[in-house]
Amino acid sequence: MPEGDVLRRTAARLNAALVGEPLVRAELRWPTAAGVHLVGRTVLGTTAYGKHLLTRFDDGRTLHTHLRMDGTWRVAATGSPQAQARAPQIRAVLATERWTALGRLLGMLDVVATRDEHTLVGHLGPDVLDDDFDVDEVLRRWADRGATPVAEVLLDQTAVAGIGTIFMAESLFAERVWPWTPADEVTDPARILGVARRLMQRSVATGRPDERVHGRRQRPCVRCGTPIARGTTRKPPMERPVFWCPRCQAPPTSSP
């Protein structure tokens, strides 16, 4: 499931394959970008912001992509069978003489002037994985959410960018917080954000560890043995699954 950690690793993979070499092939199989010409352009770099990727070119343009739930970027050796990109699921192809990057089932794709990137990501909150992560700004936005359930706030990309259902569940489990606790009743929001950040940083560096709570419905809690429960947060059609331990993360006495 693509969250901020996956995007960071994807950006690093694209940078290793494409940076500094002119493109010999470029196909954007997207209705609004099908006529964009990128052959001959050089990739300056790809950066991740939250769940978005920004691939910048030497002519002042940026390719913006979003993986949504099922998208991926993969790299294959140019000229190999995998690099032919014949599958209908391929939405973008960027190739140098050595490497071909294939965007499969991308959920969003835009080409904009690099100076206009803010029109695509400027509404987002601070990126939880940024080196200069602005936790004070996130706490200000958190306070604006009032009694919104804490799980929902962690998933709100306009509050803090990059956290998805996995790291929402894992950070709340680590801190023994009931996912539907009103945000304004959470004792130490900065601590929860810090846990999410550290878990995601570790995932970027070494790969995702086995989940301790996410995806473990009816399996015993790793701490107390209670069967893990599954619920939902957010309203349709944006609802998301929430996994938690009914014993380790019991609701506050003041909550229903």
Side-chain angles (χ1 to χ4, degrees):
M1 186 178 299
E3 299 190 23
D5 60 324
V6 172
L7 275 294
R8 293 283 168 144
R9 292 198 299 270
T10 300
R13 187 181 308 122
L14 292 175
N15 284 333
L18 301 178
V19 167
E21 298 291 332
L23 296 179
V24 299
R25 179 186 179 191
E27 301 172 13
L28 303 180
R29 303 172 185 177
W30 198 268
T32 58
V36 173
H37 182 74
L38 293 172
V39 172
R41 301 272 57 89
T42 297
V43 175
L44 301 179
T46 295
T47 187
Y49 194 99
K51 300 182 181 182
H52 300 253
L53 289 168
L54 302 168
T55 300
R56 296 167 180 140
F57 301 96
D58 62 350
D59 64 350
R61 288 184 292 175
T62 293
L63 171 65
H64 162 249
T65 55
H66 192 294
L67 305 183
R68 292 207 185 272
M69 293 295 290
D70 300 312
T72 60
W73 276 99
R74 294 288 185 262
V75 173
T78 297
S80 68
Q82 296 92 335
Q84 296 305 309
R86 292 173 179 167
Q89 297 89 354
I90 302 298
R91 304 285 186 258
V93 181
L94 301 175
T96 68
E97 289 187 355
R98 293 186 61 198
W99 300 107
T100 298
L102 308 163
R104 180 182 180 277
L105 292 176
L106 302 175
M108 297 173 63
L109 188 152
D110 306 276
V111 178
V112 299
T114 299
R115 64 176 179 274
D116 294 332
E117 288 176 358
H118 66 278
T119 64
L120 301 171
V121 298
H123 64 291
L124 301 174
D127 187 325
V128 69
L129 286 172
D130 269 357
D131 291 340
D132 57 351
F133 177 53
D134 189 348
V135 67
D136 291 334
E137 174 60 19
V138 176
L139 293 176
R140 185 190 68 76
R141 296 179 185 221
W142 184 299
D144 289 342
R145 271 47 179 191
T148 301
V150 60
E152 187 171 332
V153 175
L154 289 173
L155 294 175
D156 183 350
Q157 300 299 296
T158 66
V160 55
I163 300 174
T165 54
I166 294 175
F167 290 104
M168 171 270 290
E170 296 297 322
S171 57
L172 293 178
F173 176 75
E175 292 301 299
R176 300 174 181 262
V177 175
W178 187 53
W180 294 273
T181 303
D184 55 8
E185 294 182 17
V186 173
T187 304
D188 193 350
R191 183 177 174 89
I192 295 174
L193 293 167
V195 169
R197 176 174 164 84
R198 288 191 295 275
L199 290 173
M200 295 177 71
Q201 287 174 326
R202 188 180 310 158
S203 177
V204 173
T206 63
R208 280 191 182 164
D210 292 338
E211 285 84 18
R212 304 188 74 202
V213 65
H214 181 84
R216 291 175 52 86
R217 183 181 183 183
Q218 295 303 311
R219 295 173 64 186
C221 172
V222 297
R223 280 197 296 240
C224 72
T226 301
I228 296 298
R230 181 189 186 278
T232 59
T233 190
R234 305 175 74 175
K235 297 178 181 179
M238 299 301 292
E239 65 267 37
R240 294 291 183 267
V242 184
F243 295 86
W244 87 102
C245 173
R247 181 176 181 184
C248 294
Q249 297 169 266
T253 55
S254 60
S255 299

